Amino acid sequence: MQASRTVPFPPPSMQDSYWLGGMDLSGVNTEALPEAVMDTVVVGGGIAGMSTALHLKRRMPGHRVAVLDARGSVAAGATGRNGGLLWPNIKFNVSKCASSHGNEEARRIFNFDHATVKAVVAFCETTAKTNPELDPLCTRFAEKGFQGITSEEETSAIASDFAWLDAQKMERQTSIASRETVLNTIPVSGFNVNEFGALQDEQAHMVHPVKLVFAIAKQVCSGDNPGLFVPNCTVQAVTRPSVSSDNFFVLETSKGTIRTKSIVYATNAWTSALLPSVPIVPVRNQVIVSEPVAISSSNGWGLSTNDGYEYMSQRPDGRIVLGGMRYLADNMDVGNADDSQASLNSTVSKTLRQYLEKTLKTAPKTEREWAGIMGWTADGNPFVGELGGFGECESGEYIVAGFTGHGMSRCFLAADAVAQLVARDDPLPDSFPHSFLVSKERFELSIEDLGLSSPPVAHRF
């Protein structure tokens, strides 16, 4: 990645998303940096960073871990600004992956996504039973999770996926639903499904992402050896052991310095602010939430359509969350790291509202609107692993970032893989996707055309 791809340090957030609004998340905060040397400092308090801390504690109960975040709470970045969907393999063309990476790697990625979603669901179910006040509100859509099919090309790709899964003797988890089935299942009279129908996904879930990360953080910051979460703490520079006076990493932050034996960068879109050589690019997306709408059905419903450029769901409280349409922004908002309220794209804002009105056949009030900054990679896969020997990094530096819009279905177990590496346990199992690992070849991939392809339909009203 070229130096021009670096991003500024994350600014303090100037807006609350639906997930962050009104929540008191201070119960896990530690305001001052510790004086003691940490075993690991995790940079980033979203789902990737906090999950890493959780898995480090599970693997090494005596491990001293601190999580630092530039903003004022857990999940204040992309995790707390997404669409609230927990959906494995969404927009994943497994047969195409097999052509590029081979059958075994396609199997690894397909299975990894499903395993991660199952692990998150299990965590949520256990939390709901043992600590109801921390319930992350994870619900399977039952038979109401659909990916709209928009073209013959997409139909053909799905047929290829099914054929590949059948040949590999793998369970499909999805099926084709007719236009009539979709319209009879989703209680939205104005939803436009063309003749190709939709892909019906048995494992599509919704979750409250901030409550999920807060529940993880409560576990991290409790027990006999509680971890620390330090908010409003921007890491500004890293001095590495080869040049430090005491052979530790020294992190210069907005709250002072902290020393540690290892670092995990769970910084996603903001990675290049500290690591300019890591090719992760910020990509912005906008989301709105409506007032409660009286069309709810049991377990809600979820929809991804227009090749993933629109996604919406109805939450347990009746509100509709709708996001997407970044193709209406200049350069499709690739390279845009500004998630402030003042920066919201007015064309995207207007069109999201019009799309919602057209779909619902009514005009519900928009209660909130926000932007989230995703971290994208050239090949669509996250960077997971040790960074020593790459760019400016030394042994003891690790990364779990670059989830390209798929963090909810990949972060939890990717974080466990990083924790396993930090713990120097046995090597990662062969089932872990090899294409997620840090490599020289991946560092050299071009990202100049990232995300610039046109969507099938550009909605304009």
Side-chain angles (χ1 to χ4, degrees):
M1 186 170 99
Q2 301 300 315
S4 61
R5 287 291 188 181
T6 57
V7 298
F9 294 111
S13 177
M14 298 174 65
Q15 58 177 323
D16 274 341
S17 69
Y18 168 55
W19 318 112
L20 289 162
M23 286 199 65
D24 180 6
L25 303 171
S26 62
V28 296
N29 293 1
T30 297
E31 294 305 324
L33 290 172
E35 294 184 5
V37 175
M38 294 290 104
D39 291 309
T40 301
V41 167
V42 179
V43 185
I47 186 171
M50 204 54 73
S51 296
T52 299
L54 175 68
H55 293 303
L56 284 169
K57 284 195 63 180
R58 286 177 171 178
R59 289 180 174 275
M60 299 177 290
H63 204 70
R64 294 168 298 180
V65 59
V67 181
L68 315 181
D69 198 276
R71 291 182 168 172
S73 73
V74 299
T79 302
R81 301 175 186 284
N82 62 31
L85 300 176
L86 179 63
W87 203 319
N89 297 127
I90 191 168
K91 291 292 297 163
F92 176 58
N93 186 199
V94 67
S95 57
K96 183 178 179 180
C97 178
S99 297
S100 301
H101 297 290
N103 288 338
E104 285 303 310
E105 183 64 2
R107 288 174 66 94
R108 291 185 188 101
I109 297 175
F110 184 90
N111 289 333
F112 181 83
D113 275 18
H114 281 279
T116 302
V117 169
K118 288 179 181 177
V120 173
V121 171
F123 177 90
C124 292
E125 290 176 346
T126 300
T127 301
K129 291 177 182 177
T130 58
N131 294 286
E133 71 280 4
L134 299 176
D135 185 358
L137 304 177
C138 182
T139 306
R140 189 168 72 91
F141 286 125
E143 296 179 353
K144 298 182 177 67
F146 294 98
Q147 297 182 55
I149 304 171
T150 56
S151 67
E152 290 184 3
E153 290 77 13
E154 198 170 351
T155 301
S156 177
I158 292 170
S160 296
D161 283 355
F162 283 178
W164 185 88
L165 290 167
D166 292 344
Q168 296 293 313
K169 296 182 171 54
M170 296 174 66
E171 187 177 357
R172 291 185 182 181
Q173 307 278 358
T174 55
S175 59
I176 298 293
S178 68
R179 181 177 186 274
E180 291 71 27
T181 297
V182 177
L183 296 180
N184 288 333
T185 303
I186 294 183
V188 180
S189 60
F191 175 59
N192 181 29
V193 184
N194 64 26
E195 68 272 21
F196 301 108
L199 196 62
Q200 193 169 14
D201 198 319
E202 299 174 5
Q203 296 303 318
H205 291 72
M206 61 180 168
V207 69
H208 193 300
V210 174
K211 290 186 176 183
L212 169 60
V213 177
F214 186 64
I216 295 172
K218 290 288 280 188
Q219 288 197 21
V220 169
C221 300
S222 63
D224 294 335
N225 177 40
L228 303 176
F229 173 67
V230 186
N232 299 308
C233 186
T234 302
V235 178
Q236 299 164 331
V238 176
T239 301
R240 295 175 167 84
S242 62
V243 295
S244 69
S245 60
D246 53 10
N247 294 318
F248 295 119
F249 291 97
V250 181
L251 282 66
E252 302 289 341
T253 82
S254 56
K255 288 189 171 183
T257 62
I258 181 171
R259 296 181 300 159
T260 182
K261 298 175 183 177
S262 61
I263 306 173
V264 177
Y265 298 94
T267 40
N268 215 35
W270 313 100
T271 299
S272 65
L274 287 171
L275 303 175
S277 63
V278 179
I280 297 176
V281 175
V283 176
R284 190 178 72 166
N285 213 23
Q286 287 180 215
V287 189
I288 62 173
V289 63
S290 75
E291 63 185 351
V293 178
I295 58 170
S296 62
S297 60
S298 61
N299 295 329
W301 50 269
L303 171 71
S304 171
T305 189
N306 198 20
D307 202 31
Y309 283 93
E310 288 95 42
Y311 49 90
M312 63 193 303
S313 63
Q314 185 165 37
R315 315 309 295 187
D317 60 11
R319 289 173 168 83
I320 305 291
V321 176
L322 169 65
M325 298 189 179
R326 65 182 179 87
Y327 52 81
L328 296 175
D330 291 343
N331 204 41
M332 292 183 69
D333 263 346
V334 174
N336 189 343
D338 188 352
D339 58 1
S340 66
Q341 188 73 26
S343 75
L344 292 176
N345 184 291
S346 59
T347 301
V348 174
S349 297
K350 176 182 177 181
T351 311
L352 284 170
R353 287 164 172 77
Q354 291 173 332
Y355 183 87
L356 192 62
E357 180 179 351
K358 173 178 178 290
T359 300
L360 302 181
K361 297 295 186 183
T362 185
K365 176 185 175 183
T366 296
E367 291 188 341
R368 292 180 187 268
E369 181 173 10
W370 64 93
I373 311 300
M374 303 174 286
W376 280 50
T377 65
D379 58 10
N381 292 327
F383 283 102
V384 180
E386 187 164 9
L387 288 167
F390 293 96
E392 53 279 293
C393 298
E394 297 182 5
S395 178
E397 294 181 81
Y398 302 83
I399 189 169
V400 54
F403 287 91
T404 316
H406 298 278
M408 296 304 294
S409 62
R410 291 182 172 177
C411 281
F412 194 70
L413 291 189
D416 188 37
V418 166
Q420 182 174 342
L421 293 173
V422 174
R424 302 294 182 182
D425 287 347
D426 294 334
L428 295 181
D430 187 64
S431 59
F432 186 82
H434 297 185
S435 58
F436 289 8
L437 298 174
V438 175
S439 70
K440 181 176 182 294
E441 292 74 21
R442 294 191 66 207
F443 266 55
E444 294 175 349
L445 288 175
S446 172
I447 54 175
E448 296 305 315
D449 297 322
L450 179 65
L452 299 183
S453 59
S454 297
V457 180
H459 293 290
R460 301 177 190 276
F461 299 96

